[in-house]
Amino acid sequence: CNTKEERKGTMVKNLTEGKPLNLLFFFALPMVAGNLFQQLYNMVDTAVVGKFVGEDAVAAVGSSFPIVFLSVAVASGLSMGCTVVVSQLFGAGRIHEMKTTISTAIISLSVLGLILMALGTIFAGPLLGLLGTDPDIMADSRTYLQIYFGGAVFLFLYNTLNGIYNAQGDSKTPLIFLMISSLTNIVLDLLFVIRFHMGVAGVAWATLIAQGMCALASLAVLIRRMRRMPCEPEKAGEKVPLFHGAAVRRIAQIGLPSMLQQSLVSLSMMMMQGLVNSYGKVLVAGYTAATKIDTLAMLPNMNFSNAMSSYTAQNIGAGKYDRVKEGLKRPRNCPFDCIKTCDVTHSPYCIMLALYNAFKGKLQNGYAFCGANAWRAEKIQSVCDLMASLKAEYDNFSLKGKLFGVK
């Protein structure tokens, strides 16, 4: 069962054989490319509203970003549990149990997505209020967030499916879907905002539709793949249960700690957003643009870590612990290691420095980032002044050295 010949054409990859460095590098590369496409349409969202709607729209989208990131952290954290369990079963050749785990994960996380969809739609306004969102942009921020949460089930479904593909050593299929989704999102952004003048709501609907199409297409392809993948000879002919409580518990044991870890990072971003919001909508718009770049800088390390998770889990499942140790040593020479990204705990300080330097050094002479050409030079100057004040406050913060390790 599951020989190379049987897997040919399915795009799954056995990570328990071959040179670890080559496997990890070429496995992680499509992940990086896929996330770059995902960030591309996030940046296009900002660019389109900045150019065709105005700075208030940029600030409205930006002020909701930490809450959006929190929902993504919950989805990706829980899906990590699915990825690890499926990888171990796939590496061990226990395909019958793997199929049950996959269907269980899809059902469980889709239900959680529906719950988050309901809660997010109801509490979008109060959450924005806790962050101190400017009253001038509150209506647009709430509209964007409510529409975004309307597609939470697609967010959870796609993250689960993406984790399942990666667990089987397939990082190319998610890349294809992300490329199509990103291009669809960009086209819909332009159509809804420019043609139909839907403003911030148009950008949110474009994201929801693109994510929904991507999730449903991914699900259809996975179902077809699972039907074609043979089980162990001794399990041949047995019906595959769609749901099993033991699979839920096993996924939760791994997924919950990962979710909590990522959620804590998201909560720190919400605190940072609350601080930025206190300086007004103009600074929020500038902060929004800069955080898009900061996110891009963190992608390679994040994706390589995800690749390492699938590699490790498959080899543990196959009982090849020596390959796990070898895989841990080899990536030290990987090209990704030369990309030095900010540690999570240093991110607020680094973002602040980058914002201050970028605005002060590059944007004083006219127009702002992302094509928001309605921003006059005097508004840019006000951002520079505010950033200087914010940076000074942070530099004088008495706990900076203890919290962030910055001397």
Side-chain angles (χ1 to χ4, degrees):
C1 183
N2 301 310
T3 62
K4 290 183 179 179
E5 289 76 14
E6 289 171 329
R7 290 171 180 172
K8 189 175 181 181
T10 64
M11 297 183 77
V12 298
K13 181 180 290 186
N14 187 351
L15 301 178
T16 64
E17 300 174 359
K19 296 180 179 179
L21 180 58
N22 290 343
L23 280 174
L24 287 167
F25 179 73
F26 289 107
F27 179 46
L29 208 55
M31 292 186 188
V32 176
N35 277 288
L36 286 174
F37 272 97
Q38 197 168 26
Q39 291 305 315
L40 172 65
Y41 75 67
N42 287 332
M43 295 178 75
V44 169
D45 284 352
T46 306
V48 169
V49 295
K51 185 173 180 63
F52 297 103
V53 184
E55 64 200 51
D56 283 8
V58 177
V61 173
S63 64
S64 61
F65 176 74
I67 302 173
V68 169
F69 192 83
L70 178 60
S71 66
V72 173
V74 173
S76 60
L78 291 174
S79 67
M80 178 58 68
C82 172
T83 301
V84 171
V85 175
V86 172
S87 291
Q88 290 177 348
L89 295 172
F90 183 73
R94 295 155 60 184
I95 306 304
H96 187 273
E97 187 178 349
M98 183 195 77
K99 290 182 178 182
T100 299
T101 301
I102 287 174
S103 59
T104 299
I106 291 173
I107 293 170
S108 302
L109 292 177
S110 294
V111 170
L112 286 175
L114 289 171
I115 294 172
L116 182 65
M117 179 176 71
L119 293 176
T121 303
I122 295 170
F123 294 107
L127 285 172
L128 290 167
L130 286 175
L131 292 179
T133 304
D134 193 299
D136 291 343
I137 61 173
M138 174 61 84
D140 279 343
S141 295
R142 184 170 56 249
T143 298
Y144 180 87
L145 206 52
Q146 286 176 335
I147 295 172
Y148 181 88
F149 275 120
V153 64
F154 297 129
L155 171 68
F156 273 72
L157 179 60
Y158 178 73
N159 274 276
T160 304
L161 294 167
N162 186 59
I164 292 168
Y165 283 119
N166 291 336
Q168 298 175 353
D170 179 11
S171 57
K172 294 180 181 178
T173 300
L175 170 61
I176 294 170
F177 286 127
L178 275 174
M179 290 172 64
I180 296 172
S181 175
S182 300
L183 294 175
T184 302
N185 192 310
I186 291 170
V187 171
L188 292 177
D189 274 343
L190 297 173
L191 180 65
F192 290 163
V193 175
I194 301 174
R195 177 73 174 177
F196 298 121
H197 308 288
M198 294 173 65
V200 170
V203 171
W205 277 112
T207 300
L208 188 152
I209 293 171
Q211 282 185 348
M213 291 174 57
C214 185
L216 294 176
S218 298
L219 179 61
V221 171
L222 181 67
I223 291 173
R224 182 183 177 188
R225 176 180 293 183
M226 290 300 98
R227 286 175 176 171
R228 295 172 59 186
M229 185 178 290
C231 296
E232 309 91 304
E234 60 272 19
K235 297 283 187 178
E238 286 190 24
K239 186 177 179 181
V240 177
L242 289 178
F243 190 88
H244 201 288
V248 175
R249 290 190 293 272
R250 193 172 177 187
I251 291 170
Q253 284 176 350
I254 299 171
L256 286 176
S258 177
M259 182 201 74
L260 290 173
Q261 177 192 7
Q262 297 189 45
S263 297
L264 287 173
V265 176
S266 303
L267 289 172
S268 69
M269 291 182 65
M270 292 179 68
M271 294 173 64
M272 188 69 184
Q273 186 71 50
L275 175 62
V276 173
N277 286 347
S278 67
Y279 285 86
K281 59 187 179 182
V282 177
L283 182 57
V284 172
Y287 180 80
T288 300
T291 52
K292 304 294 182 183
I293 302 173
D294 180 69
T295 303
L296 284 174
M298 293 188 292
L299 284 180
N301 281 353
M302 291 170 58
N303 295 134
F304 193 76
S305 297
N306 290 336
M308 191 66 190
S309 296
S310 296
Y311 169 87
T312 301
Q314 274 199 28
N315 282 281
I316 288 176
K320 297 184 177 181
Y321 298 99
D322 290 340
R323 281 182 59 81
V324 175
K325 295 178 182 178
E326 187 180 0
L328 186 62
K329 295 175 182 177
R330 293 290 184 183
R332 293 177 183 176
N333 299 319
C334 179
F336 286 145
D337 192 50
C338 68
I339 303 175
K340 302 299 183 182
T341 59
C342 298
D343 183 85
V344 171
T345 55
H346 288 76
S347 290
Y349 185 73
C350 296
I351 290 174
M352 226 170 290
L353 289 176
L355 271 170
Y356 177 72
N357 293 331
F359 275 107
K360 195 71 178 176
K362 303 294 183 183
L363 300 178
Q364 286 192 65
N365 58 352
Y367 305 102
F369 182 75
C370 285
N373 54 11
W375 288 8
R376 301 294 181 184
E378 60 270 17
K379 292 184 179 180
I380 301 302
Q381 184 59 52
S382 68
V383 172
C384 294
D385 294 341
L386 285 171
M387 281 312 306
S389 173
L390 185 60
K391 177 177 177 294
E393 286 188 21
Y394 186 86
D395 286 338
N396 292 327
F397 186 44
S398 60
L399 296 179
K400 180 183 68 175
K402 294 180 181 179
L403 293 177
F404 300 113
V406 179
K407 297 180 179 181

